[in-house]
C-alpha cells in the first residue's frame, strides 16, 4: 500500500508574502503565532516561473509505463542537459515526441514506456533535436469539474 | 578605474525565431511574420532573406511569392513574443550584473570589470540563451553603446567568421571593422543622413569616427556629434537606470477595414481606453488629460485625422471616468459621412497620486473609485485579462485586427500549449 505524507496547504501562484497575524485577538494570542511559515507553493516546487521552464501537453498512450497519460501536463526544463534514461521532448523529422532517451555504445535510441510501441533507433540521417527534459508530469484524477 | 565594456545582445529574427521554437518542422525553412492587421512583413528568417523577400513588403503584394516559395507566414502573436522576450531578458540577467532592456529583442549589458576574456562570456551568454529559450542571439562587445551596436551588426553580418559573438575593443580589429561598414549601418544614422555625410566624404563608420566633431555639431546637431564621439570610443550614452514611469500612454490600433458605424467606434474607443487605463494603473499613475484621435480613411485627398482633447475633472485612473470622457470626445468629432481606419486613445499629463496640484480645492478621485479599480485589476490578474471589463468592450469585436495566420499562444494560454506525441 502506498503512503502519503501530508505537506500542508499550497499557496496561490502570485508571489505573495505570508500573512502574519494582522488581526490582533482581543483574548489570548494565537499559540501558532511564532510558528507561522511561508505557504507552500507549487510554482516554486515545479519551478514553473523559471525562464527555462515550459509547459506542454502529452497526447497518446505510449508513455503510460512511466506514468504519463493522454492529456497530462508536462513540466519541461530546457536548461537541463539531456542524459541517458531521461524522459525527454524530442523533435524528430519535424514531429515532437515525449520519449525516454537512451544513449550507449550502440548509439541513441528513443524508447516508449508501453510494450505496444517499439523503440526507435536514431540513424545518422535522422534529424533529432532534444527540445527539453521532462521534470514532472501532472495528471488529473477522476471526473471533477 | 575599469575599462568600459558594453555588450549589446540582440535576438536574431526574433519573431520568426519565437515561432520556430514551437515548430521544429520549420528548422531551416523560410519564415516571415506580418505586422498588425496582416499588413506587411516585419520579421524574416535568414532563409526568407535569401529568397529576396523585402522587409516591409505589403502582404498582398508578396502573398503569391510566399505561397510559391513555401514560406511559413504568421500573423504577429505579441502574447508569445512578449513572454519569450521576458524569458530571454531573465536569462541574460542571470548571467550579467546589469542590463538595460532596449527593445523587445535587444538589451545592453554592462560588462565593465568582469573577468576577461569577455569574448568567452559572450559565447556563454549566447549558448545559455539558446539552450534555455531556443532563441538565437548575437553579441557585440565594445567600449561604448554605439560601438556595441555596430559590433553586434558586424557579428551578424559575418556570422560564419564571428560565430555571432564579436569583441571589437582590441585594435586593430576595431579599425578594420569600422572601415568595412558603410556609415548608414551606424546606430542613429538613417538613410536620410547618410547621403549628406557622403557629400562630406564620410563613407564608412571609420570616416565618421575620425571626423571633426565641431563641424558635425554645426552641420547636423549634437546627436551626430555624440555618435561620432561614441564611435571614437568616448562614451556619451550611459547605461540607463531602470525605466521611469511614462509621461503619456497611447493605445492605438488599425481596424481590420475602415469603420463608419458609431457603435463600432464606440466599442473600439472603449477597448483602447480600457487597455490604456490598465497600463496607467500598472505604473501607479493618474491621468489629467485624455486625447482621442481618429484617422479617416484616405479618400479624395483628405489627409490627416480628427483629434480632440479634454482635461479630466480631477486626476484619475478610473476607467469609468476615462471612458466617459473618451466617449464624449468621440461624439464631438465623429462624422457619419466618414469612414475611419484607426483610433488612438492618449492619456496625457500623467502624475503620481499625492503630487502637488495647482488647485487646493480641486476635487479628488474618491477612495471608493480607487478601491473599485484595485478589485478590477485583482480579478483580471487572477482570472485572466478582460474577465471584468467595461460593458461597452465586446468579447469578439467585428472591427478587430485581422490575424488570420496567428500561432497558438504556447506559453501564456493553458488551452494552447504545445502538444507532444506519446505515440
Amino acid at each position: 500500500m502506498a503512503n502519503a505524507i501530508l505537506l500542508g496547504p499550497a499557496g496561490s501562484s502570485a508571489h505573495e508574502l505570508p500573512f502574519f497575524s494582522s488581526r490582533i485577538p482581543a483574548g489570548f494570542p494565537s499559540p501558532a503565532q511564532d510558528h507561522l511559515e511561508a505557504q507552500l507553493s507549487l510554482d516554486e516546487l515545479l519551478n514553473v516561473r523559471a525562464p527555462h521552464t515550459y509547459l506542454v501537453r502529452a497526447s497518446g498512450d505510449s508513455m503510460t509505463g512511466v506514468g504519463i497519460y493522454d492529456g497530462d501536463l508536462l513540466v519541461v526544463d530546457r536548461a537541463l542537459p539531456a542524459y541517458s534514461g531521461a524522459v525527454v521532448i524530442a523533435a524528430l523529422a519535424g514531429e515532437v515526441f515525449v520519449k525516454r532517451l537512451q544513449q550507449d555504445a550502440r548509439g541513441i535510441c528513443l524508447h516508449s514506456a508501453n510494450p505496444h510501441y517499439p523503440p526507435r533507433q536514431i540513424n545518422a540521417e535522422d534529424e533529432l533535436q532534444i527540445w527539453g527534459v521532462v521534470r514532472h508530469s501532472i495528471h488529473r484524477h477522476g471526473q471533477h469539474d | 578605474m575599469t575599462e568600459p565594456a558594453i555588450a549589446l545582445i540582440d535576438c536574431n529574427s526574433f519573431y520568426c525565431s519565437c515561432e520556430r521554437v514551437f515548430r521544429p518542422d520549420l528548422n531551416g525553412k523560410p519564415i516571415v511574420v506580418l505586422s498588425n492587421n496582416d499588413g506587411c512583413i516585419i520579421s524574416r528568417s535568414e532563409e526568407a532573406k535569401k529568397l529576396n523577400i523585402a522587409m516591409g513588403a505589403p502582404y498582398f503584394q508578396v502573398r503569391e511569392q510566399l505561397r510559391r516559395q513555401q514560406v511559413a507566414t504568421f500573423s504577429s502573436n505579441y502574447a508569445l513574443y512578449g513572454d519569450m522576450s521576458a524569458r530571454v531578458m531573465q536569462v541574460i540577467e542571470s548571467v550579467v550584473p546589469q542590463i538595460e532592456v532596449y527593445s523587445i529583442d535587444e538589451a545592453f549589458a554592462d560588462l565593465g570589470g568582469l573577468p576577461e576574456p569577455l569574448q568567452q562570456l559572450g559565447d556563454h551568454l549566447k549558448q545559455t540563451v539558446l539552450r534555455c529559450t531556443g532563441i538565437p542571439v548575437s553579441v557585440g562587445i565594445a567600449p561604448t553603446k554605439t560601438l556595441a551596436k555596430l559590433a553586434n551588426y558586424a557579428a551578424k553580418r559575418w556570422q560564419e567568421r564571428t560565430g555571432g559573438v564579436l569583441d571589437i575593443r582590441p585594435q586593430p580589429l576595431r579599425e578594420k571593422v569600422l572601415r568595412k561598414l558603410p556609415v548608414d549601418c551606424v546606430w542613429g544614422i538613417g538613410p536620410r543622413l547618410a547621403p549628406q555625410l557622403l557629400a562630406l566624404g564620410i563613407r564608412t563608420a571609420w570616416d565618421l569616427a575620425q571626423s571633426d566633431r565641431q563641424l558635425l555639431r554645426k552641420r547636423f546637431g549634437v546627436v551626430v556629434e555624440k555618435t561620432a564621439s561614441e564611435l571614437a570610443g568616448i562614451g556619451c550614452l550611459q547605461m540607463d537606470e531602470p525605466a521611469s514611469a511614462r509621461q503619456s500612454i497611447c493605445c492605438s490600433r488599425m481596424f481590420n477595414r475602415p469603420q463608419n458605424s458609431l457603435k463600432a467606434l464606440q466599442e473600439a474607443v472603449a477597448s483602447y481606453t480600457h487597455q490604456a487605463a490598465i497600463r496607467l494603473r500598472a505604473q501607479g499613475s493618474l491621468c489629467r488629460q485624455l486625447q482621442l484621435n481618429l484617422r479617416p480613411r484616405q479618400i479624395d485627398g483628405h489627409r490627416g485625422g480628427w483629434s480632440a482633447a479634454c482635461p479630466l475633472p480631477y486626476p484619475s485612473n478610473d476607467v469609468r471616468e476615462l471612458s466617459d470622457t473618451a466617449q464624449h470626445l468621440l461624439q464631438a468629432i465623429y462624422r457619419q459621412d466618414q469612414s475611419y481606419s484607426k483610433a488612438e486613445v492618449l492619456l496625457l499629463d500623467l502624475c503620481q497620486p499625492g503630487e502637488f496640484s495647482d488647485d487646493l480645492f480641486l476635487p479628488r478621485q474618491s477612495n471608493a473609485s480607487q478601491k473599485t479599480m484595485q478589485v478590477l485589476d485583482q480579478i483580471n490578474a487572477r482570472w485572466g485579462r478582460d474577465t471584468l471589463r467595461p460593458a461597452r468592450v465586446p468579447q469578439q469585436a467585428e472591427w478587430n485586427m485581422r490575424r488570420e495566420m496567428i500561432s497558438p499562444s504556447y506559453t501564456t494560454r493553458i488551452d494552447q500549449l504545445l502538444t507532444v506525441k506519446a505515440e
Side-chain angles (χ1 to χ4, degrees):
Chain A
M1 188 177 140
N3 288 319
I5 299 166
L6 293 180
L7 297 172
S12 72
S13 53
H15 291 261
E16 285 170 357
L17 291 172
F19 185 65
F20 282 107
S21 58
S22 70
R23 222 183 270 190
I24 306 201
F28 296 102
S30 163
Q33 193 168 354
D34 293 336
H35 302 274
L36 284 177
E37 290 181 25
Q39 288 183 323
L40 298 173
S41 159
L42 279 179
D43 280 20
E44 227 169 85
L45 184 71
L46 306 179
N47 203 18
V48 287
R49 298 282 154 227
H52 52 263
T53 304
Y54 296 79
L55 294 178
V56 303
R57 198 176 290 282
S59 139
D61 62 353
S62 76
M63 295 302 284
T64 49
V66 293
I68 295 175
Y69 296 88
D70 189 36
D72 280 1
L73 272 182
L74 308 180
V75 181
V76 179
D77 188 334
R78 282 194 63 119
L80 198 66
Y83 54 94
S84 190
V87 176
V88 297
I89 306 300
L92 186 61
E95 288 191 278
V96 192
F97 296 96
V98 51
K99 295 282 162 186
R100 198 168 53 74
L101 178 73
Q102 190 188 307
Q103 195 168 11
D104 53 28
R106 282 166 296 169
I108 297 173
C109 188
L110 295 178
H111 287 272
S112 292
N114 181 335
H116 298 303
Y117 296 84
R120 169 75 154 82
Q121 189 71 37
I122 303 302
N123 305 314
E125 63 271 19
D126 281 326
E127 273 183 48
L128 174 72
Q129 180 204 351
I130 302 298
W131 198 90
V133 174
V134 178
R135 270 190 187 276
H136 308 275
S137 59
I138 300 169
H139 179 74
R140 161 174 284 205
H141 296 272
Q143 311 285 320
H144 324 285
D145 17 89
Chain B
M1 225 191 88
T2 55
E3 288 293 309
I6 292 174
L8 179 74
I9 303 116
D10 187 9
C11 302
N12 304 348
S13 311
F14 181 57
Y15 298 167
C16 294
S17 298
C18 289
E19 300 289 352
R20 187 176 270 158
V21 168
F22 300 92
R23 290 283 306 273
D25 59 305
L26 296 179
N27 283 343
K29 305 254 169 69
I31 306 174
V32 297
V33 173
L34 305 175
S35 61
N36 277 340
N37 230 4
D38 296 346
C40 55
I41 291 173
I42 51 169
S43 180
R44 304 166 299 162
S45 71
E46 278 311 308
E47 299 81 4
K49 288 176 193 168
K50 292 208 177 93
L51 293 174
N52 284 324
I53 295 159
M55 189 69 168
Y59 176 52
F60 73 92
Q61 273 180 15
V62 292
R63 179 184 297 191
E64 192 44 41
Q65 183 193 359
L66 295 174
R67 198 191 55 77
R68 209 175 47 240
Q69 298 182 318
Q70 302 188 337
V71 179
T73 306
F74 292 94
S75 304
S76 37
N77 181 347
Y78 286 107
L80 177 65
Y81 311 152
D83 182 74
M84 292 306 285
S85 168
R87 288 170 186 263
V88 168
M89 299 307 169
Q90 254 179 287
V91 173
I92 298 172
E93 265 177 324
S94 71
V95 177
V96 298
Q98 196 204 343
I99 78 165
E100 173 197 335
V101 176
Y102 181 68
S103 70
I104 192 166
D105 60 352
E106 51 188 332
F108 287 104
D110 189 353
L111 307 185
L114 295 183
E116 301 282 347
L118 293 182
Q119 173 85 27
Q120 219 167 43
L121 180 68
D123 287 332
H124 175 63
L125 261 172
K126 183 185 139 138
Q127 296 305 334
T128 312
V129 173
L130 181 64
R131 206 183 61 219
C132 293
T133 66
I135 304 288
V137 299
S138 302
V139 183
I141 302 170
T144 67
K145 277 184 161 180
T146 307
L147 280 170
K149 267 276 213 191
L150 207 65
N152 190 293
Y153 179 85
K156 277 205 175 92
R157 179 151 167 179
W158 294 297
Q159 174 80 33
E160 291 83 28
R161 243 185 294 170
T162 61
V165 180
L166 184 61
D167 179 358
I168 59 164
R169 286 173 307 151
Q171 295 285 16
L173 175 66
R174 192 194 308 171
E175 181 175 337
K176 200 173 138 200
V177 168
L178 263 64
R179 279 186 188 281
K180 273 195 179 162
L181 290 177
V183 73
D184 59 357
C185 300
V186 174
W187 191 26
I189 305 292
R192 198 180 51 84
L193 266 175
Q196 299 179 45
L197 291 167
L198 204 62
L200 294 176
I202 301 171
R203 205 172 48 78
T204 65
W206 178 254
D207 295 339
L208 186 58
Q210 302 302 308
S211 301
D212 177 1
R213 292 205 269 283
Q214 295 268 307
L215 179 80
L216 287 175
R217 185 189 194 121
K218 231 184 270 166
R219 292 283 294 264
F220 305 105
V222 67
V223 176
V224 174
E225 183 206 359
K226 271 190 179 173
T227 301
S229 299
E230 282 249 317
L231 284 179
I234 303 158
C236 301
L237 305 168
Q238 305 305 314
M239 286 288 291
D240 257 4
E241 308 294 310
S244 53
R246 287 177 184 282
Q247 284 309 298
S248 67
I249 289 173
C250 167
C251 184
S252 76
R253 306 244 195 297
M254 298 280 288
F255 304 130
N256 53 2
R257 58 178 170 274
Q259 295 293 326
N260 149 266
S261 89
L262 182 60
K263 177 174 172 286
L265 288 163
Q266 283 171 332
E267 287 180 3
V269 167
S271 299
Y272 302 168
T273 310
H274 176 49
Q275 296 300 331
I278 289 172
R279 273 148 63 189
L280 180 72
R281 292 193 299 271
Q283 69 167 47
S285 300
L286 301 171
C287 152
R288 287 189 278 220
Q289 183 161 195
L290 190 140
Q291 182 176 329
L292 175 67
N293 301 329
L294 292 182
R295 189 203 287 172
R297 172 188 186 184
Q298 288 175 12
I299 36 171
D300 48 12
H302 177 97
R303 287 183 69 92
W306 289 93
S307 172
C310 176
L312 292 154
Y314 46 83
S316 171
N317 63 14
D318 189 325
V319 66
R320 298 166 295 182
E321 192 70 58
L322 300 174
S323 224
D324 262 4
T325 308
Q327 296 295 343
H328 274 123
L329 291 173
L330 176 63
Q331 295 282 359
I333 57 179
Y334 169 76
R335 280 178 24 186
Q336 227 170 1
D337 58 350
Q338 183 65 260
S339 288
Y340 301 93
S341 57
K342 183 181 183 178
E344 186 169 78
V345 172
L346 281 152
L347 306 185
L348 303 168
D349 243 343
L350 307 189
C351 61
Q352 298 302 310
E355 217 171 81
F356 177 77
S357 80
D358 311 331
D359 186 348
L360 189 60
F361 300 102
L362 208 66
R364 292 178 35 193
Q365 178 166 292
S366 70
N367 284 340
S369 143
Q370 298 251 27
K371 283 240 171 74
T372 311
M373 289 304 111
Q374 272 171 17
V375 170
L376 172 78
D377 289 335
Q378 278 164 4
I379 288 174
N380 287 342
R382 177 139 182 208
W383 303 105
R385 58 188 301 154
D386 289 345
T387 303
L388 195 58
R389 57 182 192 275
R392 198 153 349 226
V393 178
Q395 193 148 33
Q396 283 285 327
E398 276 168 37
W399 40 265
N400 226 340
M401 289 188 297
R402 233 188 326 248
R403 294 202 291 185
E404 285 165 357
M405 294 155 287
I406 194 161
S407 55
S409 294
Y410 299 103
T411 57
T412 51
R413 294 282 297 268
I414 202 78
D415 58 339
Q416 297 182 13
L417 300 177
L418 177 68
T419 300
V420 298
K421 291 183 177 172
E423 291 168 2

